[in-house]
Amino acid sequence: MNTVLGRRSRILAATTATAGLLLVAGCSSDGGGGGASKTAAGGVELVKGGQLTVCTHLPYPPFQSVIDGREQGFDVSLVDLVAKNLGVKQKILDTPFENFKTGAFLNAEQCDLGAAGMTITEERKKNVDFSDPYFAATQAVLVDKKSGITSFAGLKGKKVGAQAQTTGEDYAKGKNLDPVSFESSDAVLNGLRTGQVEAVIIDYPVVQGWLKDKANADAFKVVDNLNTGEQYGFTVKKGNTKLLAAINKVITDAKADGTYKKLYEQWIGPYDEAAAAPSAS
């Protein structure tokens, strides 16, 4: 995932972000685990018995968002497979994106796993352990059709939006742009709709989802696709080797037995083997 205000608010300190975890009801088991064992299949230790507690940052379709009152998406479906193999249910917490970069929610044992369309970077590896990559992403340049912008090169001097704390924001800054940062992907799109910005840089799968809506497709268009070499991974607390092995096994097995392809087509679109089979990090 990449970096825009909407998605990862900088002004939230890690401690504040952790304290402000919001429990989201949805695709998960009820209750707090009660007297259930905190040791799941394979000897994986969980922060709460009977559930795999997963931190995410909503919304970020098609990877995770609330649909019909419950969390759904590509990431959610893959992590459901991990939970099933551990013999528990997935329980989702909606958290500020800053936590994903620092690993604060994992270190504080608020969550077992982080799943937020998160790009694997060397900087982030200092704070968390990443799973094998499960998705290769590119950045899209989406513009208002009335803007006259025809490529990334045309963004100079224009108002450009990005999601805070994401790689999209980082990319824009690295190219000497001064992006307007938004709190979430929804806020990024709203900024484009309301004319706060003339273009946005954000993960292409997110843009694909937006353009399925006719109103968006009529108003906006993709003028560039930036191959930044990004790969997504799930995160665990550093040293949590058993859970990491369980996640990696699910990724490998799902790709081998066709489950990954099925979920890809359900949530993202026509199967792209290049995006679906990134090299190991």
Side-chain angles (χ1 to χ4, degrees):
M1 168 182 261
N2 302 301
T3 326
V4 191
L5 258 188
R7 186 155 169 122
R8 298 30 176 163
S9 182
R10 303 189 173 122
I11 57 174
L12 293 175
T15 52
T16 302
T18 302
L21 289 175
L22 299 176
L23 179 61
V24 179
C27 68
S28 48
S29 60
D30 294 328
S37 173
K38 290 187 178 182
T39 304
V44 174
E45 293 294 323
L46 303 173
V47 297
K48 288 189 178 181
Q51 67 185 47
L52 179 65
T53 310
V54 179
C55 278
T56 191
H57 182 72
L58 298 166
Y60 201 64
F63 297 96
Q64 53 270 324
S65 58
V66 177
I67 304 171
D68 297 330
R70 64 190 183 95
E71 300 91 343
Q72 300 185 59
F74 186 66
D75 283 4
V76 177
S77 295
L78 282 177
V79 176
D80 269 341
L81 297 177
V82 178
K84 181 179 180 181
N85 280 7
L86 295 178
V88 296
K89 296 289 185 179
Q90 178 179 182
K91 185 74 173 181
I92 291 178
L93 298 179
D94 184 20
T95 69
F97 192 69
E98 179 65 22
N99 280 340
F100 292 87
K101 300 179 72 173
T102 64
F105 59 86
L106 296 170
N107 293 328
E109 297 190 346
Q110 296 282 351
C111 297
D112 300 295
L113 183 158
M118 186 171 179
T119 300
I120 300 169
T121 69
E122 293 303 315
E123 180 183 359
R124 292 170 180 176
K125 283 182 179 179
K126 296 175 183 177
N127 300 316
V128 298
D129 284 343
F130 277 96
S131 71
D132 290 340
Y134 65 90
F135 187 84
T138 58
Q139 293 293 311
V141 179
L142 185 71
V143 305
D144 188 309
K145 288 183 176 180
K146 299 177 182 178
S147 68
I149 300 170
T150 59
S151 68
F152 178 82
L155 297 180
K156 187 175 182 180
K158 303 290 187 179
K159 290 184 178 180
V160 180
Q163 190 172 335
Q165 303 295 322
T166 66
T167 52
E169 184 184 56
D170 290 343
Y171 186 86
K173 290 180 176 180
K175 296 297 183 179
N176 297 316
L177 298 176
D178 185 20
V180 177
S181 294
F182 293 92
E183 171 68 19
S184 67
S185 60
D186 277 2
V188 172
L189 179 58
N190 188 58
L192 190 59
R193 282 175 174 158
T194 58
Q196 297 176 60
V197 294
E198 299 169 87
V200 299
I201 300 174
I202 197 166
D203 293 20
Y204 182 59
V206 175
V207 171
Q208 284 180 297
W210 290 346
L211 295 181
K212 289 179 181 179
D213 182 283
K214 186 178 183 302
N216 290 334
D218 288 344
F220 314 123
K221 65 179 179 180
V222 175
V223 296
D224 229 332
N225 206 309
L226 313 172
N227 188 356
T228 54
E230 294 176 50
Q231 298 179 336
Y232 290 173
F234 299 120
T235 61
V236 301
K237 184 177 180 179
K238 291 194 74 67
N240 192 349
T241 56
K242 289 184 178 180
L243 178 54
L244 199 63
I247 296 168
N248 288 340
K249 183 178 187 304
V250 162
I251 294 171
T252 299
D253 290 350
K255 289 180 177 179
D257 65 17
T259 302
Y260 183 99
K261 181 175 184 289
K262 180 180 178 181
L263 294 176
Y264 188 103
E265 291 173 339
Q266 176 185 356
W267 292 110
I268 297 173
Y271 187 62
D272 181 348
E273 190 170 352
S279 60
S281 59

